[in-house]
Amino acid sequence: GLEISPIEEIKGGNLNYNLKIMNDLLNNNASRGLTNSILMNASLAFMSYGRTKDLTEGVSIAKRLLRDGVVKNWLNQVTSFFK
């Protein structure tokens, strides 16, 4: 399962700081708390949409999507489209 982390690990800040932590997340360098928060939210979305049968499966899919760079590649495509 996912471990409990201090709230400081998921706090944001100004635009530059938030961009830094997003970049850290996409490069697998984010804090454990932030990463777990994103994994849980993604898992809940997958389950709500009917893509997964439980939270464990959703966390597993979300981990793979982040680790393999799928999320980063998608975000880069979307960013390029709107430039």
Coordinates of all heavy atoms in Angstrom, one line a residue:
G1 N 0.8 -1.2 0.0 CA 0.0 0.0 0.0 C 0.8 1.3 0.0 O 2.1 1.2 0.0
L2 N 0.2 2.3 0.0 CA 0.8 3.7 0.1 C 1.0 4.1 1.5 O 0.2 3.8 2.4 CB 0.0 4.7 -0.7 CG -0.3 4.4 -2.2 CD1 -1.2 5.4 -2.7 CD2 1.0 4.3 -3.0
E3 N 2.2 4.7 1.8 CA 2.5 5.1 3.1 C 2.0 6.5 3.4 O 1.9 7.4 2.5 CB 4.0 5.1 3.3 CG 4.6 3.7 3.1 CD 6.1 3.7 3.2 OE1 6.7 4.7 3.7 OE2 6.7 2.8 2.8
I4 N 1.7 6.8 4.7 CA 1.3 8.1 5.1 C 2.6 9.0 5.1 O 3.7 8.6 5.5 CB 0.7 8.1 6.5 CG1 -0.6 7.3 6.4 CG2 0.5 9.5 7.1 CD1 -1.2 7.0 7.8
S5 N 2.4 10.3 4.7 CA 3.5 11.2 4.6 C 3.1 12.5 5.2 O 1.9 12.8 5.3 CB 3.9 11.5 3.1 OG 4.3 10.3 2.5
P6 N 4.1 13.3 5.6 CA 3.8 14.6 6.2 C 3.2 15.5 5.2 O 3.5 15.4 4.0 CB 5.1 15.2 6.6 CG 6.2 14.1 6.4 CD 5.5 13.0 5.6
I7 N 2.3 16.4 5.6 CA 1.6 17.3 4.7 C 2.6 18.2 3.9 O 2.3 18.6 2.8 CB 0.5 18.2 5.5 CG1 -0.4 18.9 4.5 CG2 1.2 19.1 6.4 CD1 -1.4 18.1 3.8
E8 N 3.7 18.5 4.5 CA 4.7 19.3 3.8 C 5.1 18.7 2.5 O 5.6 19.5 1.6 CB 5.9 19.5 4.7 CG 5.7 20.4 6.0 CD 5.0 19.6 7.1 OE1 5.0 18.4 7.1 OE2 4.3 20.3 7.9
E9 N 5.0 17.4 2.3 CA 5.4 16.8 1.1 C 4.5 17.0 -0.1 O 4.8 16.7 -1.2 CB 5.6 15.3 1.3 CG 6.8 15.0 2.2 CD 7.2 13.5 2.2 OE1 6.7 12.7 1.3 OE2 8.0 13.1 3.1
I10 N 3.3 17.5 0.2 CA 2.4 17.8 -0.9 C 2.0 19.2 -1.0 O 1.2 19.6 -1.9 CB 1.1 16.9 -0.8 CG1 0.3 17.3 0.5 CG2 1.4 15.4 -0.8 CD1 -1.1 16.6 0.5
K11 N 2.6 20.1 -0.2 CA 2.3 21.5 -0.3 C 2.9 22.1 -1.6 O 4.0 21.8 -2.0 CB 2.8 22.3 0.9 CG 2.0 22.1 2.1 CD 2.5 23.0 3.2 CE 1.6 22.9 4.4 NZ 2.0 23.8 5.5
G12 N 2.1 23.0 -2.2 CA 2.6 23.7 -3.4 C 3.1 25.0 -3.0 O 3.4 25.3 -1.8
G13 N 3.2 25.9 -3.9 CA 3.8 27.2 -3.7 C 3.4 28.2 -4.8 O 2.3 28.1 -5.4
N14 N 4.4 29.0 -5.2 CA 4.1 29.9 -6.3 C 4.3 29.1 -7.6 O 4.6 27.9 -7.7 CB 5.1 31.1 -6.3 CG 6.5 30.7 -6.4 OD1 6.9 29.7 -7.0 ND2 7.4 31.5 -5.8
L15 N 4.0 29.8 -8.7 CA 4.0 29.2 -10.0 C 5.4 28.4 -10.3 O 5.4 27.3 -10.7 CB 3.8 30.2 -11.1 CG 3.9 29.7 -12.6 CD1 2.8 28.6 -12.8 CD2 3.7 30.8 -13.6
N16 N 6.5 29.1 -10.1 CA 7.8 28.5 -10.4 C 8.0 27.2 -9.5 O 8.5 26.2 -10.0 CB 8.9 29.4 -10.1 CG 9.0 30.5 -11.2 OD1 8.5 30.3 -12.3 ND2 9.5 31.7 -10.9
Y17 N 7.6 27.3 -8.2 CA 7.8 26.1 -7.4 C 6.9 25.0 -7.8 O 7.3 23.8 -7.9 CB 7.5 26.5 -5.9 CG 7.7 25.3 -5.0 CD1 9.0 24.9 -4.7 CD2 6.6 24.6 -4.5 CE1 9.1 23.8 -3.8 CE2 6.8 23.5 -3.6 CZ 8.0 23.1 -3.3 OH 8.2 22.0 -2.5
N18 N 5.6 25.3 -8.2 CA 4.7 24.3 -8.6 C 5.2 23.6 -9.9 O 5.0 22.4 -10.1 CB 3.3 24.8 -8.8 CG 2.7 25.2 -7.4 OD1 3.1 24.7 -6.4 ND2 1.6 26.0 -7.5
L19 N 5.7 24.4 -10.8 CA 6.3 23.8 -12.1 C 7.4 22.9 -11.8 O 7.6 21.9 -12.4 CB 6.7 25.0 -13.0 CG 5.5 25.7 -13.7 CD1 6.1 26.9 -14.4 CD2 4.7 24.8 -14.6
K20 N 8.2 23.3 -10.8 CA 9.4 22.5 -10.4 C 8.9 21.1 -9.8 O 9.4 20.1 -10.2 CB 10.3 23.2 -9.4 CG 11.5 22.3 -8.9 CD 12.0 22.8 -7.6 CE 13.1 21.9 -7.0 NZ 12.8 20.5 -6.9
I21 N 7.9 21.1 -9.0 CA 7.5 19.9 -8.4 C 6.7 19.0 -9.4 O 6.8 17.8 -9.4 CB 6.6 20.0 -7.1 CG1 5.4 20.8 -7.3 CG2 7.5 20.6 -6.0 CD1 4.5 20.9 -6.1
M22 N 6.1 19.7 -10.4 CA 5.4 18.9 -11.5 C 6.5 18.2 -12.3 O 6.4 17.1 -12.7 CB 4.6 19.8 -12.3 CG 3.8 18.9 -13.4 SD 2.6 19.9 -14.4 CE 3.8 20.8 -15.4
N23 N 7.6 19.0 -12.6 CA 8.7 18.4 -13.4 C 9.4 17.3 -12.6 O 9.7 16.3 -13.2 CB 9.7 19.5 -13.7 CG 10.7 19.1 -14.7 OD1 10.4 18.6 -15.8 ND2 12.0 19.3 -14.4
D24 N 9.5 17.5 -11.3 CA 10.1 16.4 -10.5 C 9.2 15.2 -10.5 O 9.7 14.0 -10.7 CB 10.2 16.8 -9.0 CG 11.3 17.8 -8.8 OD1 12.2 18.0 -9.7 OD2 11.3 18.5 -7.7
L25 N 7.9 15.3 -10.5 CA 7.0 14.2 -10.5 C 7.1 13.5 -11.9 O 7.2 12.3 -11.9 CB 5.5 14.7 -10.3 CG 4.5 13.6 -10.5 CD1 4.5 12.7 -9.3 CD2 3.1 14.2 -10.6
L26 N 7.2 14.2 -13.0 CA 7.2 13.6 -14.3 C 8.6 13.0 -14.5 O 8.7 12.1 -15.4 CB 7.0 14.7 -15.4 CG 5.5 15.3 -15.3 CD1 5.4 16.4 -16.3 CD2 4.5 14.2 -15.6
N27 N 9.6 13.3 -13.8 CA 10.9 12.7 -13.9 C 11.2 11.8 -12.8 O 12.4 11.4 -12.6 CB 12.0 13.8 -14.0 CG 11.9 14.6 -15.3 OD1 12.0 14.0 -16.4 ND2 11.7 15.9 -15.2
N28 N 10.2 11.3 -12.1 CA 10.3 10.4 -11.0 C 11.3 10.8 -9.9 O 12.0 10.0 -9.3 CB 10.8 9.0 -11.5 CG 9.8 8.4 -12.5 OD1 8.6 8.3 -12.2 ND2 10.3 8.1 -13.7
N29 N 11.2 12.1 -9.6 CA 12.1 12.7 -8.5 C 11.2 13.4 -7.4 O 11.8 14.1 -6.6 CB 13.1 13.7 -9.1 CG 14.1 13.0 -10.0 OD1 14.5 11.9 -9.7 ND2 14.5 13.6 -11.1
A30 N 9.9 13.2 -7.4 CA 9.1 13.9 -6.5 C 9.1 13.3 -5.1 O 9.5 12.1 -5.0 CB 7.7 14.0 -7.0
S31 N 8.7 14.0 -4.1 CA 8.6 13.4 -2.8 C 7.7 12.2 -2.8 O 6.8 12.1 -3.6 CB 8.2 14.5 -1.8 OG 6.8 14.8 -2.0
R32 N 7.9 11.3 -1.8 CA 7.0 10.2 -1.7 C 5.6 10.6 -1.4 O 4.6 10.0 -2.0 CB 7.5 9.3 -0.6 CG 6.7 8.0 -0.4 CD 7.1 7.2 0.8 NE 6.9 8.0 2.0 CZ 7.7 7.8 3.1 NH1 8.6 7.0 3.1 NH2 7.4 8.6 4.1
G33 N 5.4 11.6 -0.6 CA 4.0 12.1 -0.3 C 3.3 12.6 -1.5 O 2.1 12.3 -1.7
L34 N 4.0 13.4 -2.3 CA 3.4 14.0 -3.5 C 3.1 12.9 -4.5 O 2.0 12.8 -5.1 CB 4.3 15.0 -4.2 CG 3.8 15.6 -5.5 CD1 2.5 16.4 -5.2 CD2 4.8 16.5 -6.1
T35 N 4.0 12.0 -4.7 CA 3.8 10.9 -5.6 C 2.6 10.0 -5.2 O 1.8 9.7 -6.0 CB 5.1 10.0 -5.8 OG1 6.2 10.8 -6.2 CG2 4.9 8.9 -6.7
N36 N 2.6 9.7 -3.9 CA 1.5 8.8 -3.4 C 0.1 9.5 -3.6 O -0.9 8.9 -3.9 CB 1.7 8.4 -2.0 CG 2.8 7.4 -1.8 OD1 3.2 6.8 -2.8 ND2 3.3 7.2 -0.6
S37 N 0.1 10.8 -3.4 CA -1.1 11.6 -3.5 C -1.6 11.6 -5.0 O -2.8 11.3 -5.2 CB -0.9 13.1 -3.1 OG -2.0 13.9 -3.4
I38 N -0.7 11.7 -5.9 CA -1.1 11.7 -7.3 C -1.5 10.2 -7.7 O -2.5 10.1 -8.4 CB 0.2 12.1 -8.2 CG1 0.6 13.5 -7.9 CG2 -0.1 11.8 -9.7 CD1 -0.5 14.6 -8.3
L39 N -0.8 9.2 -7.2 CA -1.2 7.8 -7.5 C -2.6 7.5 -7.0 O -3.4 6.9 -7.7 CB -0.2 6.9 -6.9 CG 1.3 6.9 -7.5 CD1 2.2 6.0 -6.7 CD2 1.3 6.6 -8.9
M40 N -2.9 8.0 -5.8 CA -4.2 7.7 -5.2 C -5.3 8.4 -6.0 O -6.4 7.8 -6.3 CB -4.2 8.1 -3.7 CG -5.6 7.8 -3.0 SD -6.1 6.0 -3.2 CE -4.9 5.2 -2.1
N41 N -5.1 9.7 -6.3 CA -6.1 10.4 -7.1 C -6.3 9.8 -8.5 O -7.4 9.7 -8.9 CB -5.7 11.9 -7.2 CG -6.0 12.7 -6.0 OD1 -7.2 12.8 -5.6 ND2 -5.0 13.2 -5.3
A42 N -5.2 9.4 -9.1 CA -5.4 8.7 -10.4 C -6.1 7.4 -10.3 O -7.0 7.1 -11.1 CB -4.0 8.5 -11.0
S43 N -5.8 6.7 -9.2 CA -6.4 5.4 -9.0 C -7.9 5.6 -8.8 O -8.8 4.8 -9.3 CB -5.8 4.7 -7.8 OG -6.4 3.5 -7.5
L44 N -8.3 6.6 -8.0 CA -9.7 6.9 -7.8 C -10.4 7.2 -9.1 O -11.6 6.8 -9.3 CB -9.9 8.0 -6.8 CG -9.6 7.6 -5.3 CD1 -9.4 8.8 -4.5 CD2 -10.7 6.7 -4.8
A45 N -9.7 8.0 -9.9 CA -10.3 8.4 -11.2 C -10.5 7.1 -12.1 O -11.5 6.9 -12.7 CB -9.4 9.4 -11.9
F46 N -9.5 6.2 -12.2 CA -9.6 5.0 -12.9 C -10.8 4.2 -12.5 O -11.5 3.6 -13.3 CB -8.3 4.2 -12.8 CG -7.1 4.8 -13.5 CD1 -5.9 4.5 -13.0 CD2 -7.2 5.5 -14.6 CE1 -4.7 5.1 -13.6 CE2 -6.1 6.1 -15.3 CZ -4.8 5.8 -14.7
M47 N -10.9 4.0 -11.1 CA -12.0 3.2 -10.6 C -13.3 3.9 -10.9 O -14.3 3.2 -11.2 CB -11.8 3.0 -9.1 CG -12.5 1.8 -8.6 SD -12.0 1.4 -6.9 CE -13.0 2.5 -6.0
S48 N -13.5 5.2 -10.7 CA -14.7 5.9 -11.0 C -15.2 5.7 -12.4 O -16.3 5.6 -12.7 CB -14.6 7.4 -10.7 OG -14.3 7.6 -9.3
Y49 N -14.2 5.7 -13.3 CA -14.4 5.6 -14.8 C -14.7 4.1 -15.2 O -15.2 3.8 -16.2 CB -13.2 6.1 -15.5 CG -13.4 6.2 -17.0 CD1 -14.4 7.1 -17.6 CD2 -12.7 5.4 -17.9 CE1 -14.5 7.1 -18.9 CE2 -12.8 5.5 -19.2 CZ -13.8 6.3 -19.8 OH -13.9 6.4 -21.1
G50 N -14.5 3.2 -14.3 CA -14.7 1.8 -14.5 C -13.5 1.1 -15.2 O -13.6 -0.1 -15.7
R51 N -12.4 1.7 -15.2 CA -11.2 1.1 -15.9 C -10.5 0.1 -15.0 O -9.9 -0.8 -15.5 CB -10.2 2.2 -16.2 CG -8.9 1.7 -16.7 CD -8.3 2.5 -17.9 NE -7.2 1.8 -18.4 CZ -6.0 2.4 -18.6 NH1 -5.9 3.7 -18.4 NH2 -5.0 1.7 -19.1
T52 N -10.7 0.2 -13.7 CA -10.1 -0.7 -12.7 C -11.1 -1.2 -11.8 O -12.2 -0.6 -11.6 CB -8.9 -0.1 -11.9 OG1 -9.4 1.0 -11.2 CG2 -7.8 0.4 -12.8
K53 N -10.9 -2.4 -11.2 CA -11.8 -3.0 -10.2 C -11.6 -2.5 -8.8 O -12.5 -2.6 -7.9 CB -11.8 -4.5 -10.3 CG -10.5 -5.1 -9.9 CD -10.6 -6.6 -10.1 CE -9.4 -7.4 -9.6 NZ -8.2 -7.2 -10.4
D54 N -10.3 -2.0 -8.5 CA -10.0 -1.6 -7.1 C -8.9 -0.6 -7.1 O -8.3 -0.3 -8.2 CB -9.7 -2.8 -6.2 CG -8.6 -3.6 -6.7 OD1 -7.6 -3.1 -7.2 OD2 -8.6 -4.9 -6.6
L55 N -8.6 0.0 -6.0 CA -7.6 1.0 -5.9 C -6.2 0.5 -6.1 O -5.3 1.2 -6.7 CB -7.7 1.7 -4.5 CG -8.9 2.5 -4.2 CD1 -8.9 3.0 -2.8 CD2 -9.0 3.7 -5.2
T56 N -6.0 -0.7 -5.7 CA -4.6 -1.3 -5.9 C -4.3 -1.4 -7.3 O -3.2 -1.1 -7.7 CB -4.6 -2.7 -5.2 OG1 -4.9 -2.6 -3.8 CG2 -3.2 -3.4 -5.3
E57 N -5.2 -1.9 -8.1 CA -5.0 -2.0 -9.6 C -4.7 -0.6 -10.2 O -3.9 -0.4 -11.0 CB -6.2 -2.6 -10.3 CG -6.0 -2.8 -11.7 CD -7.2 -3.5 -12.4 OE1 -8.3 -3.6 -11.8 OE2 -7.1 -3.8 -13.6
G58 N -5.5 0.4 -9.7 CA -5.3 1.8 -10.2 C -4.0 2.4 -9.9 O -3.4 3.0 -10.7
V59 N -3.5 2.1 -8.7 CA -2.2 2.6 -8.2 C -1.1 2.0 -9.1 O -0.2 2.6 -9.6 CB -1.9 2.4 -6.7 CG1 -0.5 2.6 -6.4 CG2 -2.8 3.3 -5.9
S60 N -1.3 0.7 -9.4 CA -0.3 0.0 -10.2 C -0.3 0.6 -11.6 O 0.8 0.8 -12.2 CB -0.7 -1.5 -10.3 OG 0.2 -2.2 -11.1
I61 N -1.4 0.9 -12.2 CA -1.4 1.5 -13.6 C -0.8 2.9 -13.5 O 0.0 3.2 -14.4 CB -2.9 1.5 -14.1 CG1 -3.4 0.1 -14.4 CG2 -3.0 2.4 -15.3 CD1 -4.9 0.0 -14.7
A62 N -1.2 3.7 -12.5 CA -0.7 5.0 -12.4 C 0.8 5.0 -12.3 O 1.5 5.8 -12.9 CB -1.4 5.8 -11.3
K63 N 1.4 4.1 -11.4 CA 2.8 4.0 -11.3 C 3.5 3.7 -12.6 O 4.5 4.3 -12.9 CB 3.2 2.9 -10.3 CG 3.1 3.3 -8.8 CD 3.5 2.1 -8.0 CE 3.4 2.4 -6.5 NZ 3.8 1.2 -5.7
R64 N 2.9 2.8 -13.3 CA 3.5 2.4 -14.6 C 3.5 3.6 -15.6 O 4.5 3.9 -16.3 CB 2.8 1.2 -15.2 CG 3.5 0.7 -16.4 CD 2.8 -0.6 -17.0 NE 1.5 -0.2 -17.6 CZ 0.3 -0.5 -17.2 NH1 0.2 -1.3 -16.1 NH2 -0.7 -0.1 -17.8
L65 N 2.4 4.3 -15.6 CA 2.2 5.5 -16.5 C 3.2 6.6 -16.2 O 3.8 7.2 -17.1 CB 0.8 6.0 -16.5 CG -0.3 5.1 -17.1 CD1 -1.6 5.7 -16.8 CD2 0.0 4.9 -18.6
L66 N 3.5 6.8 -14.9 CA 4.5 7.8 -14.5 C 5.9 7.3 -14.8 O 6.7 8.0 -15.4 CB 4.3 8.2 -13.0 CG 3.3 9.2 -12.7 CD1 3.2 9.3 -11.2 CD2 3.6 10.5 -13.3
R67 N 6.2 6.1 -14.3 CA 7.5 5.5 -14.5 C 8.0 5.4 -15.9 O 9.1 5.7 -16.2 CB 7.5 4.2 -13.8 CG 8.9 3.5 -13.8 CD 8.8 2.0 -13.5 NE 8.1 1.3 -14.5 CZ 7.1 0.4 -14.2 NH1 6.8 0.1 -13.0 NH2 6.5 -0.2 -15.2
D68 N 7.1 5.0 -16.8 CA 7.4 4.8 -18.2 C 7.4 6.0 -19.0 O 7.7 6.0 -20.2 CB 6.5 3.7 -18.8 CG 6.7 2.3 -18.2 OD1 7.7 2.1 -17.4 OD2 5.8 1.5 -18.5
G69 N 7.1 7.2 -18.4 CA 7.1 8.4 -19.1 C 5.9 8.7 -20.0 O 5.8 9.7 -20.8
V70 N 4.8 7.9 -19.9 CA 3.6 8.1 -20.7 C 2.9 9.4 -20.3 O 2.5 10.1 -21.3 CB 2.6 6.9 -20.4 CG1 1.3 7.1 -21.2 CG2 3.3 5.6 -20.9
V71 N 2.8 9.7 -19.1 CA 2.2 11.0 -18.7 C 3.0 12.2 -19.2 O 2.5 13.1 -19.7 CB 2.0 11.1 -17.1 CG1 1.5 12.4 -16.7 CG2 1.2 10.0 -16.7
K72 N 4.3 12.1 -19.0 CA 5.2 13.2 -19.5 C 5.1 13.4 -21.0 O 5.0 14.5 -21.5 CB 6.7 12.8 -19.1 CG 7.7 13.9 -19.4 CD 9.0 13.6 -19.0 CE 10.1 14.6 -19.3 NZ 11.4 14.3 -18.8
N73 N 5.1 12.3 -21.7 CA 5.0 12.4 -23.2 C 3.7 13.0 -23.6 O 3.6 13.8 -24.5 CB 5.2 11.0 -23.9 CG 6.6 10.5 -23.8 OD1 7.5 11.3 -23.6 ND2 6.8 9.2 -23.8
W74 N 2.6 12.6 -22.9 CA 1.3 13.1 -23.3 C 1.2 14.6 -23.0 O 0.7 15.4 -23.8 CB 0.2 12.4 -22.4 CG -1.2 13.0 -22.7 CD1 -2.0 12.7 -23.7 CD2 -1.8 14.0 -21.9 NE1 -3.2 13.4 -23.6 CE2 -3.1 14.2 -22.5 CE3 -1.5 14.7 -20.8 CZ2 -4.0 15.2 -22.0 CZ3 -2.4 15.6 -20.2 CH2 -3.6 15.8 -20.8
L75 N 1.8 15.0 -21.8 CA 1.8 16.4 -21.5 C 2.6 17.2 -22.5 O 2.2 18.3 -22.9 CB 2.3 16.6 -20.1 CG 2.2 18.0 -19.5 CD1 0.8 18.6 -19.5 CD2 2.8 18.1 -18.1
N76 N 3.7 16.7 -22.9 CA 4.5 17.4 -23.9 C 3.8 17.5 -25.3 O 3.9 18.6 -25.9 CB 5.8 16.6 -24.2 CG 6.8 16.8 -23.0 OD1 6.7 17.8 -22.3 ND2 7.7 15.9 -22.9
Q77 N 3.0 16.5 -25.7 CA 2.2 16.6 -26.9 C 1.1 17.6 -26.8 O 0.9 18.4 -27.7 CB 1.6 15.2 -27.2 CG 2.6 14.2 -27.7 CD 1.9 12.8 -27.9 OE1 0.8 12.6 -27.6 NE2 2.7 11.9 -28.4
V78 N 0.4 17.7 -25.7 CA -0.6 18.7 -25.4 C 0.0 20.1 -25.4 O -0.6 21.0 -26.1 CB -1.4 18.4 -24.1 CG1 -2.3 19.5 -23.8 CG2 -2.2 17.1 -24.2
T79 N 1.1 20.2 -24.8 CA 1.8 21.5 -24.7 C 2.2 22.0 -26.1 O 1.9 23.2 -26.5 CB 3.0 21.5 -23.8 OG1 2.6 21.1 -22.5 CG2 3.7 22.8 -23.7
S80 N 2.7 21.1 -26.9 CA 3.1 21.4 -28.3 C 2.0 21.8 -29.1 O 2.0 22.7 -30.0 CB 3.9 20.3 -28.9 OG 5.1 20.0 -28.3
F81 N 0.8 21.1 -29.0 CA -0.4 21.4 -29.7 C -0.9 22.8 -29.5 O -1.3 23.5 -30.4 CB -1.5 20.4 -29.4 CG -2.7 20.7 -30.1 CD1 -2.9 20.2 -31.4 CD2 -3.8 21.3 -29.5 CE1 -4.1 20.4 -32.1 CE2 -5.0 21.5 -30.1 CZ -5.1 21.1 -31.5
F82 N -0.8 23.3 -28.3 CA -1.3 24.6 -27.9 C -0.3 25.8 -28.1 O -0.7 26.9 -27.8 CB -1.9 24.6 -26.5 CG -3.2 23.9 -26.5 CD1 -3.3 22.6 -25.9 CD2 -4.4 24.4 -27.0 CE1 -4.5 21.9 -25.9 CE2 -5.6 23.8 -26.9 CZ -5.6 22.5 -26.4
K83 N 0.9 25.5 -28.6 CA 1.8 26.6 -28.8 C 1.6 27.3 -30.1 O 1.2 26.8 -31.0 CB 3.3 26.0 -28.7 CG 3.7 25.8 -27.3 CD 5.2 25.4 -27.3 CE 5.6 25.3 -25.9 NZ 7.0 24.9 -25.8

